[in-house]
Amino acid sequence: MNAQSRTPTLPTLLQQAEAWCQAGLIRSLDWMLAQFFSRQVPELTELELLAVLLCSEANGRGHVCLDIGAVLLQSKIKASAGRSELWQQADAELKQYLSAYRVQDWVQALQGSALVASQLPDQQAHTRANAPFVLAGSAQKPLLYMRRYWQYEQLIAAEITRRLQPEAPLAVDRVALLLQGFFPADKRAAPFDWQMAACALAVRSRFAIITGGPGTGKTTTVLKLLALLQGLQLTGQQKPLQILLAAPTGKAAARLNESIAQSLQQLDVSALPLPDPAQLKAWLPTQVQTVHRLLGARPDSRHFKHQRQNPLAADVVVVDEASMVDVELMAALVQALPADCRLYLLGDKDQLASVEAGSVLGDLCRFAETGSYRPGTVAYLQQLCAAKVPERYVAAEDAPALAQVTAMLRHSYRFTEGGAIHRLATLVNHGGTVVDGAGVDGNNVEGDGSSAVTTIKAIAAEPNSPVQLLQQGMSAVPTGASASTAMPFSEAFKTLLLTGYRPYLTAVAAFAPEAETVQRNQAALQILALQRNFQLLGAVREGDWGVQGLNARIERLLARHSLIRPEGQAWYPGRPVLMTRNDYQVQLMNGDIGVCLPVQEQGETVLRVAFLDGEGGIRWVLPSRLHSAETVFAMTVHKSQGSEFLHTALLLPASSSPVLTRELLYTGITRAKTTFSLIYDNEAVLASTITQRVQRASGFALL
């Protein structure tokens, strides 16, 4: 059908879009943007307006662009259950609109649109410098971008591509001597040491990726990599490299600080062929900043102090937990790097993507599972690592350049190989398929959710299993009933919560407000450590079983058992709080967790909130100064990234939704260090969560 021959008029489509908005299918922002452009460009066709609407809606769901083919394919698939009748009706109406069009109709309409600059290859380009949208990708896979997101992606791709260009020939013999000093033959993993390989790949490039699951030694590996780089400077009688470490959130930065300090203490440099090996440690970085602080965030602005005209003073920049970095922030980072600066990204490619648009690390790690190393790369690795690269990771000479700088760490030191939590995480990560982890491309494996639930039950039923399953009814609240009586916690869930929170709240009750500063700080450190031992995670924010509802209900539960005494006040001893945004005035970052405690000042007992200061001490903050803090008996899985807890519990809601994905479940599982509890209502939602994936549209695969 020709795109121009549709009968509904634009006012009819806008009216329909308003109904879709009211049903929750699209956002108010999407509808208002369509209204705006319909007024600015009255000659818009229905298809152009649909494109505007859906491109905005896709961006709101974390996509960098609108994958037109994927949208049309999705329009043929029945919506998931658990949605309201109004939403289902709106979804059916939108799919009816979409069913009339082919990909060619979209391409034809958008190439001729005044709103769109076409960048399709092998097509006549329409640059339209001021056009708010860009059509890119290919004729077979057209992608529609809001212009700034297209610019972000182009910038990132260009900077990475430039850093992949070969540098001056590497002194392989010098590298080998140092590398073998960091990885003595008797301590290497067999049959192939991927940590050693990661260092070897990264040292010869100005861009590299080190990915791996929890406990695979990413921090240890990158510290050895940085020591290797500094060691090469020493042996070459050159000045030390300026190295900067960053993470997306304050919590992730604090964890990396701790990990770096521990790894640095354990780093053995005695076997290095250097005149003074101990001097090397003094050249290694120990302080980690958030990416925003590194770039010099300007209050109430999208801009940063450091950018192309004022780059960072750095030779090497390392970003940990890079899966949490969205496309806009990554673009700001690469713009702020000096031309010859090295950029290394660390992270777990299988974790949840960033809250904002983009899944940059996941897109860049598309070769991580398969290796895809060229024969030349394989020969180089075998020379430096003195071991044979497994055949399944070897590719042809034309394998992508990006694969040659991507290393995946494949052995977990946190979870016992084959242990319950490790098997559970692997099962979920591969969509319910039981695999041995060898050479499996997790992006292309699809399993059966129902069978996976059966396997999970079997894992939880094993003697002394660290995996616990709890079924919790979450039926809808009857009309007129209160949440506290209509949806009670089960006895098992109550026991889990009370057992989890009691140790740190008991320590709060024993806290002495009048103690001297040193003793008071030590007690606060202990309380914060105990608070991190147990954490409840939620999949969603809203509703009685979302994080907001859970926090209120847990407060009531703990008060009934005299573990806390809120007495109607927002602030009370023992209240745990999470910073939800960076606050530079009080030197706290998004993700920082503190606990409210009573302290005695000038003979009067007052409330203060204790946070870790990042240097092994305590930062005390007035509650009235915390404008971006919320109670955190429960937190979202997104907020938990970059953290780990001895015992992690994850609650899945009763109904399926797009946010319930294997990435969310995998991220929740891998926050657990020793024990994991899963609370769910019905097996169908658990099964669909395991098989549903985060699939964010971007153009990185085509670059």
Side-chain angles (χ1 to χ4, degrees):
M1 177 180 289
N2 187 287
Q4 306 296 325
S5 65
R6 292 275 294 177
T7 52
T9 61
L10 289 187
T12 302
L13 176 59
L14 288 173
Q15 290 166 5
Q16 193 68 62
E18 182 178 12
W20 297 341
C21 179
Q22 291 171 348
L25 186 67
I26 62 174
R27 302 172 299 166
S28 298
L29 176 63
D30 309 326
W31 174 52
M32 293 170 67
L33 193 66
Q35 283 185 307
F36 170 79
F37 282 117
S38 70
R39 290 193 299 267
Q40 295 297 310
V41 188
E43 65 272 19
L44 283 181
T45 65
E46 179 190 81
L47 192 48
E48 290 172 82
L49 201 63
L50 266 175
V52 168
L53 192 73
L54 294 179
C55 188
S56 175
E57 188 272 341
N59 182 247
R61 288 189 292 114
H63 297 282
V64 175
C65 56
L66 177 70
D67 184 333
I68 294 168
V71 170
L72 297 185
L73 181 64
Q74 192 65 30
S75 70
K76 297 177 171 54
I77 300 173
K78 185 178 179 181
S80 60
R83 296 288 197 162
S84 70
E85 185 177 336
L86 195 61
W87 189 97
Q88 297 273 9
Q89 180 182 345
D91 183 64
E93 289 169 352
L94 175 57
K95 287 177 176 176
Q96 182 65 34
Y97 271 96
L98 294 172
S99 66
Y101 298 115
R102 302 167 302 165
V103 170
Q104 300 95 306
D105 297 329
W106 288 78
V107 172
Q108 182 182 348
L110 294 174
Q111 281 191 307
S113 174
L115 294 180
V116 180
S118 177
Q119 296 288 336
L120 287 178
D122 303 323
Q123 303 280 334
Q124 184 179 355
H126 302 286
T127 55
R128 294 192 181 97
N130 296 321
F133 296 88
V134 175
L135 181 64
S138 67
Q140 295 72 36
K141 189 180 177 66
L143 306 173
L144 183 65
Y145 293 80
M146 291 184 177
R147 175 171 286 276
R148 70 186 178 96
Y149 286 99
W150 178 75
Q151 291 173 330
Y152 294 150
E153 197 173 85
Q154 292 294 306
L155 177 63
I156 294 167
E159 287 295 320
I160 290 176
T161 300
R162 187 172 62 78
R163 284 180 166 77
L164 293 179
Q165 301 307 311
E167 291 190 284
L170 193 67
V172 177
D173 291 343
R174 280 170 51 206
V175 173
L177 281 173
L178 287 169
L179 195 59
Q180 289 159 17
F182 290 119
F183 295 92
D186 60 336
K187 294 183 179 178
R188 291 177 205 162
F192 190 75
D193 195 314
W194 285 104
Q195 292 188 5
M196 192 176 188
C199 292
L201 290 174
V203 75
R204 68 174 187 167
S205 176
R206 286 178 294 155
F207 176 79
I209 300 168
I210 300 174
T211 187
T216 51
K218 294 185 290 292
T219 304
T220 301
T221 303
V222 82
L223 188 66
K224 289 183 178 180
L225 168 61
L226 299 178
L228 175 60
L229 290 169
Q230 292 288 37
L232 289 171
Q233 294 293 105
L234 265 177
T235 58
Q237 297 184 334
Q238 297 172 288
K239 67 176 183 178
L241 296 170
Q242 179 67 30
I243 301 172
L244 300 178
L245 305 178
T249 67
K251 185 67 178 175
R255 268 206 65 208
L256 182 57
N257 253 328
E258 295 171 7
S259 298
I260 287 287
Q262 184 178 6
S263 297
L264 188 59
Q265 189 175 10
Q266 296 172 350
L267 183 65
D268 184 4
V269 295
S270 60
L272 297 180
L274 297 172
D276 184 7
Q279 182 189 3
L280 184 61
K281 286 192 175 186
W283 285 7
L284 297 178
T286 56
Q287 294 301 309
V288 186
Q289 307 175 68
T290 64
V291 178
H292 284 84
R293 179 168 284 179
L294 178 79
L295 296 177
R298 298 185 185 279
D300 304 316
S301 170
R302 304 179 89 102
H303 302 293
F304 296 93
K305 172 185 174 184
H306 293 290
Q307 22 66 26
R308 199 176 297 284
Q309 287 72 37
N310 181 29
L312 292 162
D315 300 302
V316 182
V317 171
V318 176
V319 180
D320 192 23
E321 296 290 352
S323 62
M324 300 165 67
V325 180
D326 60 83
V327 69
E328 182 177 2
L329 186 57
M330 187 66 75
L333 175 64
V334 298
Q335 279 191 94
L337 299 178
D340 57 352
C341 180
R342 295 169 178 261
L343 174 63
Y344 298 134
L345 302 181
L346 276 67
D348 186 344
K349 67 180 180 61
D350 297 313
Q351 279 191 31
L352 280 169
S354 56
V355 176
E356 303 299 330
S359 55
V360 181
L361 185 71
D363 291 339
L364 295 176
C365 282
R366 61 187 181 275
F367 308 110
E369 294 272 3
T370 56
S372 300
Y373 297 125
R374 298 170 182 169
T377 302
V378 171
Y380 167 78
L381 286 175
Q382 292 181 170
Q383 179 183 358
L384 265 68
C385 301
K388 183 178 173 60
V389 175
E391 191 63 35
R392 59 180 170 268
Y393 303 118
V394 181
E397 190 60 53
D398 61 351
L402 184 60
Q404 314 315 304
V405 296
T406 303
M408 180 173 172
L409 308 183
R410 302 167 192 271
H411 175 73
S412 177
Y413 297 89
R414 180 192 303 177
F415 301 133
T416 304
E417 194 76 28
I421 295 178
H422 180 266
R423 281 184 287 131
L424 179 61
T426 303
L427 178 76
V428 169
N429 195 25
H430 292 95
T433 300
V434 179
V435 297
D436 62 5
V440 177
D441 182 356
N443 295 324
N444 297 320
V445 174
E446 292 299 334
D448 174 42
S450 299
S451 298
V453 172
T454 302
T455 305
I456 291 171
K457 286 182 175 180
I459 292 173
E462 293 170 359
N464 303 314
S465 176
V467 173
Q468 177 185 23
L469 290 182
L470 298 179
Q471 207 151 5
Q472 164 71 58
M474 303 179 204
S475 56
V477 184
T479 304
S482 68
S484 59
T485 58
M487 296 187 297
F489 292 143
S490 68
E491 288 304 314
F493 194 17
K494 277 185 195 175
T495 300
L496 175 75
L497 295 171
L498 292 171
T499 303
Y501 296 121
R502 183 174 280 114
Y504 104 83
L505 290 173
T506 300
V508 170
F511 184 79
E514 71 283 356
E516 295 294 329
T517 302
V518 173
Q519 288 76 22
R520 190 169 65 188
N521 286 354
Q522 284 298 320
L525 284 169
Q526 181 190 19
I527 288 169
L528 288 170
L530 289 170
Q531 191 277 332
R532 293 197 302 271
N533 283 350
F534 174 80
Q535 183 63 57
L536 175 65
L537 306 180
V540 295
R541 284 189 59 81
E542 309 298 330
D544 295 315
W545 296 98
V547 164
Q548 291 178 341
L550 283 168
N551 276 312
R553 298 178 65 196
I554 291 169
E555 275 189 339
R556 293 195 293 269
L557 172 69
L558 297 175
R560 286 199 303 271
H561 286 79
S562 302
L563 290 172
I564 59 173
R565 301 181 185 278
E567 299 175 350
Q569 301 299 312
W571 291 98
Y572 54 85
R575 181 190 175 193
V577 292
L578 172 79
M579 295 297 296
T580 58
R581 56 187 294 187
N582 297 337
D583 189 333
Y584 297 102
Q585 291 188 337
V586 290
Q587 300 180 58
L588 294 173
M589 298 292 111
N590 180 17
D592 285 348
I593 292 178
V595 174
C596 186
L597 295 170
V599 299
Q600 198 168 88
E601 293 182 357
Q602 299 177 345
E604 181 182 1
T605 300
V606 295
L607 294 177
R608 296 289 183 265
V609 184
F611 290 89
L612 297 176
D613 65 3
E615 298 177 357
I618 292 292
R619 176 174 291 112
W620 296 94
V621 183
L622 282 165
S624 60
R625 298 193 67 190
L626 297 175
H627 306 299
S628 304
E630 59 184 32
T631 302
V632 72
F633 288 116
M635 71 166 70
T636 62
V637 177
H638 267 105
K639 288 291 186 183
S640 75
Q641 290 188 94
S643 302
E644 70 175 24
F645 312 97
L646 284 181
H647 184 176
T648 301
L650 170 62
L651 183 143
L652 296 180
S655 301
S656 296
S657 75
V659 304
L660 296 184
T661 62
R662 74 173 69 158
E663 289 86 355
L664 179 135
L665 184 51
Y666 170 83
T667 302
I669 294 167
T670 54
R671 298 312 90 205
K673 195 170 183 181
T674 60
T675 309
F676 176 73
S677 299
L678 180 63
I679 306 102
Y680 67 102
D681 185 317
N682 64 78
E683 292 181 9
V685 172
L686 177 55
S688 68
T689 300
I690 293 168
T691 55
Q692 183 167 269
R693 294 191 60 232
V694 172
Q695 292 180 307
R696 289 188 170 181
S698 80
F700 280 120
L702 300 175
L703 296 172

